[in-house]
Amino acid sequence: MNPAVELYPPDQRTPSLPPIHSVKLRVNGKVTELQIAPWTTLLDALREYMDLTGTKKGCDHGQCGACTILVNGKRINSCLTLAIMQEDTEITTIEGLAPQDGSSAGQLHPLQQAFIERDAFQCGYCTPGQICSAVGLMNEGKARTTADIRELMSGNICRCGAYTNIVDAIEDVLNQKTV
Ligand code: FES
Ligand code: FES
């Protein structure tokens, strides 16, 4: 070995990998403990380790909204947060929106129902993110008009152009109309 080359740290010749972390996530009311690398995004934790593949990976860069889920009732892009940052939060995915108490078997969340009734999806790829985002929009309580809905849903991209029906579905639930 060339004596002019020094190793750093001096007594360690191979780099050590960061340890695997134990992470407890509460998703759709159920706590699961995962052994994952600390850099695992919440999106990958849901899809790759918990088999909750309803949440979709589109851009993986916070630009399409396909990965939108709810954390403590607020919508976030799950590709932009690490799973280890979401311990002690209440995570809801598209799989957990319908009533989970067993008393309403087969009943969908009103927004899921409205999306079906308004035919608000085509390929359906963006749809879980659109629905979760719409739930977040309602929780925020800021949407009053159609223009508000369009503006507040603008972070969710639909490559099929189903926007008109998506807005109609959200408006139906917002106004509690019967469709
Ligand atoms: S996959 Fe997260 S915003 Fe596109
Ligand atoms: S329904 Fe296909 S991307 Fe939106």
Side-chain angles (χ1 to χ4, degrees), residues 121-127 130 157-160 162:
F121 49 87
Q122 291 174 29
C123 79
Y125 195 83
C126 71
T127 306
Q130 300 272 9
I157 308 300
C158 172
R159 75 195 76 180
C160 304

Side-chain angles (χ1 to χ4, degrees), residues 88-110:
D88 305 320
T89 64
E90 191 74 42
I91 297 164
T92 306
T93 68
I94 190 72
E95 291 91 345
L97 281 186
Q100 300 288 302
D101 59 8
S103 63
S104 324
Q107 187 180 321
L108 296 174
H109 185 282

